[in-house]
Amino acid sequence: ACRGGEGITARRKEGMSLDIKKYEVLLSTLDKGCFAKACEDLGYTQPAITHMMKSMEREIGFPLLKRSNKGIQLTSEGREVLPLIRELVAANDRLNKHYDMLRGVETGSVRVGTFPTVGGAWLPRIIAQFEKKYPQIQIDVLEENSIHKIEEWLTGGRIDVAFFARQPYHTFDWIPLKMDPYYGILPLEHELTSYDRLTAADFENQPFLMCCSMEGPDLDITRFFQQHGVTIRSRFNSNQDFTIARMVEAGLGVAILPELLLTSQLTGTCHVETRPIDPPLYRDLGMALRAGECLSPALDRFIKCVKAMMPDLK
């Protein structure tokens, strides 16, 4: 029994010196949800990935993955060690990037999560500028309307940095970029166009068009009405700001939308009236990072590039 225990211990010690590629493959498989998609992303055959995962599980002494009708999922042991595996892979990635930097080679990757609004308005110009200076650094962008999903990606290590609107409950390290004002959006010749500014109460008896994600209505707009004790009549919802604006244009109701959307996507293409909100309503746009995270050289350069470009992006 003693010799058997020593054998398991030896295998676990050997597992500590595993080729880090096995852990990278594990994370890619989890992020993609199945072996087939991981194969496409990594260039391995499915039998090769399956063999790699089984070999890793033998070396550490317990299973990490299980199959279900929802695809590949973690075992309870896998869920427990996943944060440590992500830390290990991230640390190895930072080390290799630092080696490259010392050799004078700018390489690496930055994984960005963002709202579609920010993605469309800012990221093309940011990436174009960044690519001129650091052509060997890969930028991958994941877009999602759900702030909770982006938070989950950031916390779990699937992305390195997130662009979104800061919320009171956030504990991420925060880099502010823009206080983005909201405006009331009205059909042409609507009765409220006679007002220079719109209060929360002005929307109370109007058919209101709300932008919603899978988790529910826009958090900043919902909080605005709650703070002013106003109950709105939400007639139609959409998970796309642009669709909401088009529905207003068609006379289906009124809405509140952010300035960034109005200036980047609607100018000259959507015929609506806009009015400032009184008192002003803003969303705090910025970049979120995992608290206390040690930045890779590639991520550090990306953040500096974004900061330098913000005066032109606003």
Side-chain angles (χ1 to χ4, degrees):
C2 180
R3 286 194 296 272
E6 288 173 353
I8 292 175
T9 300
R11 288 198 300 274
R12 288 177 179 170
K13 287 182 177 178
E14 180 186 351
M16 294 300 291
S17 61
L18 283 173
D19 180 352
I20 201 71
K21 178 57 69 176
K22 291 183 179 180
Y23 290 122
E24 293 173 349
V25 170
L26 170 67
L27 295 182
S28 180
T29 299
L30 291 171
D31 290 341
K32 299 297 182 181
C34 67
F35 287 135
K37 291 182 179 179
C39 291
E40 295 175 6
D41 187 51
L42 299 172
Y44 287 99
T45 64
Q46 186 162 332
I49 289 184
T50 302
H51 175 76
M52 196 179 299
M53 295 299 96
K54 289 182 177 179
S55 172
M56 179 174 63
E57 291 176 335
R58 284 196 301 269
E59 289 166 345
I60 63 177
F62 54 81
L64 296 175
L65 298 173
K66 60 182 179 180
R67 294 178 180 270
S68 73
N69 55 7
K70 296 181 180 179
I72 299 298
Q73 294 183 312
L74 286 167
T75 62
S76 58
E77 295 87 353
R79 288 194 298 272
E80 185 172 340
V81 300
L82 180 63
L84 297 175
I85 291 174
R86 288 198 184 277
E87 287 179 20
L88 176 63
V89 171
N92 181 73
D93 187 50
R94 290 195 300 270
L95 178 62
N96 287 327
K97 290 170 184 175
H98 201 78
Y99 286 154
D100 288 336
M101 183 182 67
L102 294 175
R103 290 193 295 265
V105 180
E106 295 286 356
T107 64
S109 64
V110 178
R111 299 166 300 171
V112 181
T114 180
F115 287 156
T117 304
V118 173
W122 288 349
L123 284 180
R125 286 181 286 169
I126 290 172
I127 294 172
Q129 182 66 27
F130 188 79
E131 199 272 340
K132 290 178 182 177
K133 193 170 183 180
Y134 305 107
Q136 301 303 316
I137 296 179
Q138 174 76 25
I139 303 294
D140 296 316
V141 179
L142 288 175
E143 292 186 273
E144 174 59 60
N145 278 309
S146 166
I147 187 171
H148 299 302
K149 179 61 69 174
I150 301 176
E151 293 164 354
E152 179 184 311
W153 288 345
L154 182 60
T155 301
R158 187 173 182 185
I159 58 175
D160 304 307
V161 60
F163 288 83
F164 51 48
R166 191 179 192 181
Q167 300 301 318
Y169 59 85
H170 281 163
T171 58
F172 300 112
D173 288 343
W174 184 251
I175 302 173
L177 298 176
K178 175 183 174 66
M179 293 302 292
D180 190 27
Y182 281 92
Y183 285 83
I185 312 300
L186 310 170
L188 300 179
E189 300 181 2
H190 189 276
E191 59 182 346
L192 292 179
T193 59
S194 62
Y195 295 4
D196 292 330
R197 294 177 177 273
L198 299 176
T199 67
D202 292 327
F203 293 93
E204 188 160 22
N205 296 316
Q206 300 290 335
F208 193 83
L209 309 177
M210 178 67 83
C211 188
C212 298
S213 70
M214 292 184 297
E215 289 84 13
D218 182 285
L219 295 176
D220 295 297
I221 296 175
T222 299
R223 190 160 49 246
F224 170 71
F225 285 123
Q226 289 174 344
Q227 289 171 347
H228 292 87
V230 169
T231 300
I232 58 170
R233 181 162 57 95
S234 183
R235 184 177 180 186
F236 299 109
N237 300 324
S238 172
N239 67 343
Q240 295 292 333
D241 287 336
F242 186 80
T243 301
I244 292 290
R246 287 297 193 187
M247 293 167 77
V248 172
E249 182 183 39
L252 296 175
V254 300
I256 293 178
L257 294 174
E259 180 183 67
L260 186 62
L261 173 79
L262 301 176
T263 57
S264 67
Q265 298 184 34
L266 299 185
T267 301
T269 65
C270 187
H271 303 291
V272 294
E273 292 278 349
T274 64
R275 294 293 184 273
I277 301 296
D278 185 24
L281 170 63
Y282 296 90
R283 60 176 182 173
D284 182 5
L285 294 180
M287 290 184 288
L289 304 161
R290 287 181 290 277
E293 181 88 353
C294 180
L295 302 184
S296 70
L299 181 56
D300 181 62
R301 281 153 180 71
F302 179 79
I303 290 171
K304 289 177 179 177
C305 178
V306 174
K307 288 181 177 179
M309 290 188 65
M310 280 315 298
D312 298 325
L313 294 175
K314 294 180 180 181

